[in-house]
Amino acid sequence: MAVRDVYLVFDTEALLLALALPDRSLLTADQGAIIMAWALSSIPTCILMAGLWFARRLFVRYAQGETFDPDVPERLGALGLLAMVGAAAGVVVRSLASLVLSLGTPAGEPHLAIGIASHEIAALIIGLLLAAFALVTHDALRLEEGSTVVL
């Protein structure tokens, strides 16, 4: 089993100099594969941007003093879900990018590299904690509504 490094570069001359490769024959990714890998790698960034948007909306509520607003558990839950989806997307996207970049290799040599990074495990744990905190906040809101007495 041969293992090759995958490099996503736009300046092949610089890569050849850095790796001291004699020619371009070892670089098999074509422009289409590079663009596809770049497009795939933008998916986790889009998920991060959506998570930042939900966090912004949540902290606007907190800044307005609406700590126990009925929207807070929903926003916390969405933020947790996005963190978990982002962690899973990181694994899937990196795996697909390695496959896409190796499609130009000779027949029988495409590679699929699957790896889980520590930051993806951390994002998964943070997402689970946010989801649990959303459930606790929802229950706190329910208890607050039940304990409110109208005279």
Side-chain angles (χ1 to χ4, degrees), residues 2-8 15 19 26-28 98 101-102 111 113:
V3 176
R4 294 185 184 161
D5 293 331
V6 176
Y7 297 95
L8 181 60
L15 180 62
L19 297 176
L26 297 177
L27 300 175
T28 57
S98 71
L101 288 172
S102 69
H111 297 282

Side-chain angles (χ1 to χ4, degrees), residues 77-143:
L79 195 56
L81 181 65
L82 283 171
M84 291 184 279
V85 167
V91 173
V92 171
V93 163
R94 196 170 37 258
S95 301
L96 288 176
S98 71
L99 183 64
V100 165
L101 288 172
S102 69
L103 287 178
T105 58
E109 289 190 23
H111 297 282
L112 176 63
I114 300 173
I116 299 173
S118 60
H119 68 274
E120 292 159 345
I121 294 171
L124 181 65
I125 292 170
I126 289 169
L128 289 170
L129 288 172
L130 285 170
F133 192 61
L135 291 173
V136 168
T137 306
H138 179 71
D139 286 344
L141 282 171
R142 191 174 45 83
L143 289 173

